[in-house]
Amino acid sequence: MTISADESAGTREQILVAAYHALEKHGYADLTIGRIGEEFDKSTSLIYHHFDGKDDLLLACLEFMLDQFAGTTAHSDHTDPKSDLESFIEQVLSIEGDAQQYQLMGSLVELRLQSTHNNGYRAHFDRSDLVIQNALAETVTAGIENGVFKQCDPDAVAATIHTLLIGSSVRLVTTGGDGWKTSVRDEMFAYLADRVYA
Amino acid sequence: MTISADESAGTREQILVAAYHALEKHGYADLTIGRIGEEFDKSTSLIYHHFDGKDDLLLACLEFMLDQFAGTTAHSDHTDPKSDLESFIEQVLSIEGDAQQYQLMGSLVELRLQSTHNNGYRAHFDRSDLVIQNALAETVTAGIENGVFKQCDPDAVAATIHTLLIGSSVRLVTTGGDGWKTSVRDEMFAYLADRVYA
DNA sequence: CTGTACTGATTGAACGTTCAATCAACAACG
DNA sequence: CGTTGTTGATTGAACGTTCAATCAGTACAG
């Protein structure tokens, strides 16, 4: 999932991509309008011609990323729900390898925390959680219909996995050790084996 | 767990308590040295006489809080490990009721996120995770020895619960809906019933 | 007299945002 | 065809605010 914008893209989209790259490079805490401006070839103040301000831009950038995610994840064929589930989990837990994705994950958690003060962000992450959880629940439902999974509550399983992955993301980007990681993975798979897999 | 400092306390501790209350009141994002100064009766600039700076003060405040936590939690008699475990979980999941504790939980997540840029914070939360996980693991171990719990890996169970609670904390302070909460609670207890309870 | 605790004023930097001015494209009109 | 008016994109400079940190000076204890 690489994001780029050639010169043909509209200015507004160029700015969105610039914000994305600035997030990758600096994280949210060190993100300034100036640094976003450095990531594209026009003037920094032009941003205010296309967006109401910093928050407006970042919110649009989040929507941009979520659409990107929804586009790639949605409409899986659901041939192998078990591997869909496990590779989704693995993708989160093994993100340390890619430095950019790792930084981006940190930025996303930082942005999520802004929901505390800002209702716009809160609305976004409410929707974001819904999208991700529904994708997970759909996978579980498909597995039940395939007979690969036993009867269970797909939404509850999805909510639990998602919450566990949020916790894992936070620990990944904020703590040093990784002894917890294999433990959590093992227990999560044991939970799935007990409660979900047929 | 109420924190206060009467006039007899040393100035350094008064400042720590002031920082704690400022965190409760404003959250980390809106926390300034000035606002910490408002929370105690001496001059704001006095802070720099007792601490190297903002980061130094907040780190000391975190240590202060962790010691407080370790003091109250440690040395439980472990008579009823099952209820110890469940009330710990419930305490996190039901924090919305207490506005101050809720704000503080948000602040703690915000502070945790600083580990991304700041090694001092990272070291603290490494230790903090260790303390909490060890407390949980001790409870599980006690349960196994009591015969209330079946044979399992106490550290792995502790890591999983702790990660799930971190994720829950983040969702609690950052999202609106709470449909996920009862789902997660139910699945978590089902996980415990399958993997831990005898 | 010496050092420690403490204070109020001040500094300097960073940052989001605004704004007047310029430029390029294009349509209308005589 | 050439002039003029209009609109949106773009720029660089500047403003106002916030905030962490510093500093010179005062009070007081030993």
Side-chain angles (χ1 to χ4, degrees):
Chain A
M1 185 151 91
T2 313
I3 305 284
S4 63
D6 50 23
E7 65 274 8
S8 72
T11 302
R12 194 187 149 90
E13 185 161 339
Q14 275 182 33
I15 295 174
L16 286 175
V17 173
Y20 176 90
H21 284 138
L23 273 178
E24 267 183 344
K25 206 177 276 185
H26 307 287
Y28 173 75
D30 294 332
L31 187 70
T32 67
I33 292 283
R35 285 200 239 272
I36 296 173
E38 287 171 5
E39 294 294 319
F40 77 123
D41 50 358
K42 302 184 185 167
S43 168
T44 299
S45 55
L46 179 58
I47 291 170
Y48 289 95
H49 189 71
H50 294 275
F51 298 91
D52 287 344
K54 197 186 181 187
D55 280 346
D56 183 44
L57 166 56
L58 289 180
L59 212 44
C61 186
L62 281 173
E63 297 290 325
F64 178 71
M65 286 190 266
L66 182 56
D67 292 348
Q68 198 97 359
F69 168 84
T72 59
T73 314
H75 310 306
S76 156
D77 54 351
H78 289 140
T79 332
D80 189 352
K82 187 168 171 231
S83 116
D84 280 359
L85 213 56
E86 294 185 355
S87 69
F88 184 76
I89 294 170
E90 214 54 54
Q91 210 172 316
V92 173
L93 290 181
S94 67
I95 212 162
E96 276 169 307
D98 186 334
Q100 281 188 336
Q101 289 286 103
Y102 179 76
Q103 173 70 273
L104 192 63
M105 175 181 269
S107 302
L108 281 175
V109 182
E110 284 182 284
L111 281 163
R112 179 184 273 268
L113 258 288
Q114 302 308 308
S115 310
T116 314
H117 326 295
N118 184 314
N119 285 326
Y121 287 111
R122 179 170 290 250
H124 168 81
F125 282 103
D126 279 352
R127 188 167 82 85
S128 160
D129 282 349
L130 214 61
V131 168
I132 295 170
Q133 252 173 231
N134 284 347
L136 282 169
E138 243 180 66
T139 304
V140 174
T141 305
I144 296 174
E145 284 167 1
N146 281 11
V148 201
F149 295 167
K150 72 177 70 161
Q151 280 298 331
C152 62
D153 183 343
D155 287 318
V157 172
T160 306
I161 292 178
H162 186 218
T163 307
L164 200 40
L165 288 180
I166 290 175
S168 300
S169 306
V170 172
R171 294 192 80 172
L172 274 172
V173 300
T174 59
T175 62
D178 60 351
W180 62 272
K181 207 169 74 175
T182 55
S183 289
V184 167
R185 192 202 332 254
D186 290 350
E187 292 295 312
M188 198 179 338
F189 285 163
Y191 157 76
L192 289 174
D194 284 341
R195 302 266 309 166
V196 179
Y197 299 160
Chain B
M1 184 152 91
T2 312
I3 305 283
S4 63
D6 50 22
E7 66 275 5
S8 73
T11 302
R12 194 186 149 91
E13 184 161 338
Q14 276 182 31
I15 295 174
L16 287 175
V17 173
Y20 175 91
H21 283 138
L23 272 178
E24 265 184 345
K25 206 176 275 182
H26 306 287
Y28 174 74
D30 294 331
L31 187 71
T32 67
I33 292 284
R35 286 200 238 273
I36 296 172
E38 287 171 5
E39 295 295 320
F40 76 122
D41 50 357
K42 302 185 185 167
S43 169
T44 298
S45 54
L46 179 58
I47 292 169
Y48 290 97
H49 189 71
H50 293 275
F51 297 92
D52 287 343
K54 198 186 181 187
D55 281 345
D56 183 43
L57 166 56
L58 288 180
L59 212 43
C61 185
L62 282 173
E63 298 289 325
F64 177 72
M65 286 190 265
L66 182 56
D67 291 349
Q68 199 96 0
F69 167 84
T72 59
T73 315
H75 312 306
S76 156
D77 53 353
H78 288 140
T79 332
D80 189 352
K82 187 168 171 232
S83 115
D84 281 358
L85 214 54
E86 294 185 355
S87 69
F88 184 76
I89 293 170
E90 215 54 53
Q91 211 171 316
V92 173
L93 289 182
S94 68
I95 212 163
E96 276 168 308
D98 185 333
Q100 281 187 337
Q101 288 286 102
Y102 179 75
Q103 174 70 274
L104 192 63
M105 176 181 269
S107 303
L108 280 175
V109 181
E110 285 182 282
L111 281 162
R112 179 184 275 268
L113 257 289
Q114 302 308 308
S115 309
T116 314
H117 327 295
N118 185 314
N119 285 326
Y121 287 110
R122 179 169 289 251
H124 167 81
F125 282 103
D126 279 351
R127 188 168 82 86
S128 160
D129 282 348
L130 214 63
V131 168
I132 295 171
Q133 254 174 229
N134 283 349
L136 282 169
E138 241 180 68
T139 303
V140 174
T141 304
I144 296 174
E145 284 166 3
N146 281 11
V148 201
F149 295 168
K150 71 176 70 158
Q151 280 298 330
C152 60
D153 182 344
D155 288 317
V157 172
T160 305
I161 293 178
H162 185 218
T163 307
L164 200 41
L165 289 180
I166 290 175
S168 299
S169 306
V170 172
R171 294 192 79 171
L172 275 172
V173 299
T174 60
T175 63
D178 60 351
W180 62 271
K181 205 168 77 175
T182 55
S183 290
V184 167
R185 193 203 330 257
D186 290 349
E187 293 295 311
M188 197 179 340
F189 284 163
Y191 157 78
L192 289 174
D194 284 341
R195 301 265 308 166
V196 178
Y197 299 160

